Amino acid sequence: MRTARRPAPPLDPGLSRPDPVLEVVVPVHNEEHDLEPCVRRLHAHLAETFPYPFRITVADNASTDRTPWIAARLAGELPGTRWVRLEEKGRGRALHTVWSRSPAPVLAYLDVDLSTDLAALLPLVAPLISGHSDLAIGTRLARGSRVVRGPKREIISRCYNGLLRGTLSVGFTDAQCGFKAVRREVAERLLPLVEDREWFFDTELLVIAERAGLRIHEVPVDWVDDPDSRVDLLPTALADLRGMARLGRALAGGRLPLATLGSAGTT
């Protein structure tokens, strides 16, 4: 895979580190309890199993608890770790901001609760590093996935993905799993077209990519529900429905340059 390389600022004061091949973003809002164990576990996993330079970025979007302080301390202690601060909330806003500025050829993110087993991280990004695929997603709804969660969330997830298939004719199986990756040159073309800055960001990115004919790789994951999830289900569901309607109108009206996006995956 041919990738354009540009210099990145040192991650640690006074030290020069190689440009990362992979940047993993952990978007957080008021996660003072989960942040440190998540980042330390992720860092140890990557240091032990990932064969290329990596960077972990904690993207703090408008936290009001001790999250920024913890993130800054971790960035000072763990090589290849940094944090950025956004003054507005929104997972999509955090991902859009960091991914748009990253020098890494492969960009990924995962949820701070680490519901997804990290053993799936290398299978997630390997097809992007090799150039075999353009985007990759973890899926809890495919054969080979092992999922532990309550019936309420199981029903909501399956209904959401079923609605996507019925309204937008998507072929991917799981839009909501917080475990995704994209090649940087693909992200550079997709991100300007994604309007949502909150929870619908993932879905919008995937729908546009699939309609453009980009290659989406799916990885079955082991996933355990976080009982302390901060997602407010009803407002999020309503926002997702509005997002589907908006995106459906844009696609039907031909307002997205899908033909030009199809060449983003060439190497």
Side-chain angles (χ1 to χ4, degrees), residues 160 164 172 175 199-208 247:
Y160 179 80
L164 279 176
F172 50 85
W199 296 103
F200 190 67
F201 173 89
D202 298 46
T203 300
E204 188 168 359
L205 184 81
L206 289 173
V207 171
I208 295 173
L247 183 54

Side-chain angles (χ1 to χ4, degrees), residues 27-197:
V28 290
H29 173 74
N30 289 347
E31 295 287 358
E32 62 183 5
H33 299 297
D34 288 342
L35 177 57
E36 182 158 359
C38 164
V39 173
R40 290 194 181 278
R41 182 177 158 196
L42 173 62
H43 189 277
H45 178 82
L46 286 169
E48 293 171 5
T49 66
F50 193 68
Y52 303 101
F54 64 86
R55 180 161 77 184
I56 298 170
T57 297
V58 178
D60 168 34
N61 47 110
S63 291
T64 56
D65 63 1
R66 295 175 64 250
T67 294
W69 183 86
I70 295 169
R73 177 167 54 79
L74 290 169
E77 294 179 10
L78 300 175
T81 303
R82 66 170 187 148
W83 73 288
V84 297
R85 167 77 177 182
L86 288 80
E87 297 303 327
E88 294 182 80
K89 287 177 60 177
R91 182 178 70 176
R93 179 172 290 105
L95 293 175
H96 193 286
T97 299
V98 178
W99 281 359
S100 296
R101 301 170 183 174
S102 176
V106 176
L107 314 169
Y109 93 88
L110 52 80
D111 287 339
V112 70
D113 58 19
L114 290 184
S115 293
T116 304
D117 190 336
L118 289 176
L121 185 54
L122 186 55
L124 183 82
V125 302
L128 307 186
I129 295 172
S130 70
H132 177 271
S133 301
D134 301 309
L135 301 94
I137 64 173
T139 176
R140 301 160 294 184
L141 302 175
R143 182 178 299 177
S145 301
R146 292 186 293 179
V147 177
V148 178
R149 62 177 164 186
K152 179 179 179 181
R153 286 187 175 273
E154 179 74 12
I155 292 170
I156 290 173
S157 178
R158 291 190 178 274
C159 288
Y160 179 80
N161 286 285
L163 187 60
L164 279 176
R165 289 191 294 272
T167 58
L168 296 175
S169 301
V170 304
F172 50 85
T173 59
D174 192 350
Q176 294 176 307
C177 183
F179 196 71
K180 295 183 175 69
V182 60
R183 292 169 60 190
R184 189 188 70 222
E185 69 265 27
V186 174
E188 287 173 348
R189 300 192 187 193
L190 285 174
L191 291 176
L193 304 179
V194 179
E195 294 185 20
D196 192 82
R197 293 294 183 268

